[in-house]
Amino acid sequence: MPDNILFYLVFLSQIILISFYFPGKILERVRYVVEKYPPSEYPKLYPVSLDKIEKGQRTFRNMNLLILFAGLVLVVLGFLSGYSPTESEDGIFLTFYFMVQFSPMMVAEFSGFKYFKLMRKANSPTTRKAQLQPRRLFDFVSSTLFGLAVLLYFAFVFFVLYIYQFEFHPESKAFINIITLTVCNLFFAGIIAWNMYGKKLNPHQAHKDRMQQIKLTVKSLVLISIAATLFLAIAVIFDNLDSDKLMPLAMCLYFQLLAVISFQSMTPVLQIDNTDFDVYKAEPGAKISDFVSEDGTETEKRLLLFAGIGLALGLSFGVFLGFKEGATIVGMALIGGIAGVIGMVLGIALACLLNFRKGTSSNQESLVK
């Protein structure tokens, strides 16, 4: 029971941190921006109406509240039933729930891409300005921190090969661990390169603000790489010491660390006082309507609808499965809760896929016209 209490306390802190605290901070600062920098004075910042912005905020809030409620139900049912998590049975579920918790943020990121697209569409100047300053990796991250990440990666490779007696083939644990970390680092490297040399998303963003955003993004990804390396090393140690029961606890702590680092990477948007908002002011003689696009979709409604349908179907299937297997009421509720969370994230994923396909079709139709 003491192990269960510690796990559920840490899991509860993960639920509150990712699905309540951080979303609340984001919404609070978005509201502050709207109040301090209204469309009447900063029209270039608002390519859509305030009603659509408020709808997006409500969708973001409701998605997080739904995930928060589902997580709290799982904690209560699991604790009351005395369920003791193990790495083999619950590692995948904990990872899956973490992905569910981050799904509202991912939806917000995709909406951000569309927001900037509308911003460019609403105001397309004939002349463009570009800074010709060369960008180097160590302009955005210290050589010490980057060197530490590289050193830890090669140390992890040697450590895993040594632990598993230098067995390196597709079915070996050494191969799986090394390939997993390598793919993750290559993915991080791709994001870093895209941020450094990719197209400027926000057409009005001041140069210093963009440089600061790139710097924090690169630093965050390097820190995440270090955290991933250390976590995988801990997982290998637990695997060899037959301490699998500690893995769920370690995973919850690791997920919270990732959340903290990821939230810090958003600070260029959230550090309002350090952002240059003068670039969003209207030019002399311009009208607010010149900067507002009426382009919009039913993304928010679709997300809530599919999430609700997925949750209902998952709960129904889980309860039915528990009843068929002869589980107790608490057991059926627990199985139903897990299935409900899975159904909800599948519904969200399907809604995002449909919205992406709709957006792609609309773009193709525009090109044809």
Side-chain angles (χ1 to χ4, degrees):
M1 184 63 70
D3 293 339
N4 289 347
I5 293 177
L6 181 59
F7 166 76
Y8 284 114
L9 285 176
V10 174
F11 186 41
L12 180 63
S13 67
Q14 173 186 328
I15 295 171
I16 295 175
L17 180 70
I18 301 177
S19 297
F20 180 77
Y21 178 75
F22 283 157
K25 285 292 184 181
I26 292 173
L27 291 174
E28 176 185 343
R29 298 184 186 188
V30 170
R31 288 191 293 266
Y32 177 75
V33 168
V34 174
E35 293 175 359
K36 188 172 182 179
Y37 304 97
S40 58
E41 298 180 27
Y42 302 86
K44 294 182 181 180
L45 186 60
Y46 302 93
V48 297
S49 64
L50 285 181
D51 289 339
K52 292 182 180 179
I53 294 176
E54 291 174 356
K55 285 182 181 180
Q57 292 181 59
R58 288 196 297 269
T59 300
F60 182 76
R61 180 194 61 201
N62 292 336
M63 289 179 65
N64 281 286
L65 289 178
L66 186 62
I67 296 170
L68 172 70
F69 175 77
L72 294 176
V73 170
L74 291 177
V75 168
V76 172
L77 294 177
F79 184 77
L80 292 180
S81 65
Y83 183 75
S84 180
T86 60
E87 189 273 336
S88 58
E89 295 179 358
D90 300 285
I92 296 178
F93 170 72
L94 290 175
T95 303
F96 191 79
Y97 182 76
F98 173 72
M99 295 172 63
V100 173
Q101 286 190 286
F102 251 73
S103 61
M105 189 63 66
M106 297 304 297
V107 172
E109 286 291 326
F110 283 117
S111 299
F113 290 133
K114 183 174 182 180
Y115 193 88
F116 292 137
K117 180 180 178 181
L118 293 176
M119 192 178 286
R120 292 193 297 270
K121 180 180 178 181
N123 182 42
S124 301
T126 55
T127 58
R128 298 180 181 272
K129 298 179 180 180
Q131 296 286 343
L132 299 179
Q133 176 183 353
R135 298 174 189 173
R136 303 178 181 86
L137 177 63
F138 295 130
D139 293 334
F140 303 104
V141 64
S142 68
S143 57
T144 302
L145 185 62
F146 182 80
L148 177 62
V150 174
L151 178 63
L152 287 175
Y153 169 78
F154 286 107
F156 174 81
V157 171
F158 177 78
F159 171 72
V160 170
L161 289 174
Y162 176 78
I163 289 294
Y164 294 113
Q165 300 178 351
F166 294 93
E167 292 185 5
F168 193 77
H169 51 82
E171 297 181 357
S172 66
K173 292 184 177 180
F175 179 87
I176 295 174
N177 279 278
I178 293 174
I179 292 299
T180 298
L181 184 60
T182 302
V183 170
C184 287
N185 283 326
L186 289 175
F187 177 69
F188 298 152
I191 297 178
I192 290 174
W194 180 72
N195 274 271
M196 290 177 57
Y197 306 111
K199 182 179 180 180
K200 182 180 179 180
L201 295 178
N202 185 342
H204 306 298
Q205 188 178 35
H207 178 71
K208 71 175 186 66
D209 291 339
R210 189 186 184 195
M211 293 301 101
Q212 180 67 8
Q213 181 177 4
I214 295 175
K215 182 177 181 179
L216 286 173
T217 300
V218 173
K219 183 179 179 181
S220 297
L221 289 172
V222 173
L223 289 174
I224 291 176
S225 174
I226 293 174
T229 303
L230 295 176
F231 174 73
L232 287 177
I234 292 173
V236 171
I237 294 174
F238 283 170
D239 180 53
N240 283 269
L241 295 179
D242 295 327
S243 301
D244 290 348
K245 291 184 177 180
L246 296 176
M247 273 304 298
L249 179 64
M251 292 181 72
C252 290
L253 293 173
Y254 172 63
F255 292 151
Q256 292 181 66
L257 177 61
L258 292 184
V260 171
I261 297 175
S262 300
F263 182 78
Q264 293 302 317
S265 68
M266 298 173 58
T267 49
V269 178
L270 301 179
Q271 288 181 345
I272 302 169
D273 296 334
N274 297 330
T275 302
D276 181 8
F277 281 90
D278 290 339
V279 295
Y280 303 108
K281 287 185 176 180
E283 298 176 357
K287 301 178 181 179
I288 295 180
S289 57
D290 296 336
F291 304 100
V292 178
S293 172
E294 294 301 325
D295 186 19
T297 64
E298 297 296 322
T299 304
E300 297 85 0
K301 294 181 180 179
R302 186 182 294 115
L303 285 171
L304 290 177
L305 175 62
F306 278 71
I309 294 175
L311 178 63
L313 292 177
L315 285 171
S316 302
F317 176 76
V319 172
F320 172 77
L321 182 63
F323 178 79
K324 184 177 180 181
E325 297 297 329
T328 62
I329 295 179
V330 176
M332 285 191 293
L334 183 61
I335 296 174
I338 295 174
V341 171
I342 295 175
M344 180 174 63
V345 74
L346 291 177
I348 293 174
L350 180 59
C352 291
L353 177 61
L354 291 176
N355 184 64
F356 174 78
R357 293 184 62 183
K358 182 178 180 180
T360 303
S361 300
S362 300
N363 292 338
Q364 291 176 347
E365 292 176 0
S366 300
L367 290 175
V368 172
K369 293 178 180 180

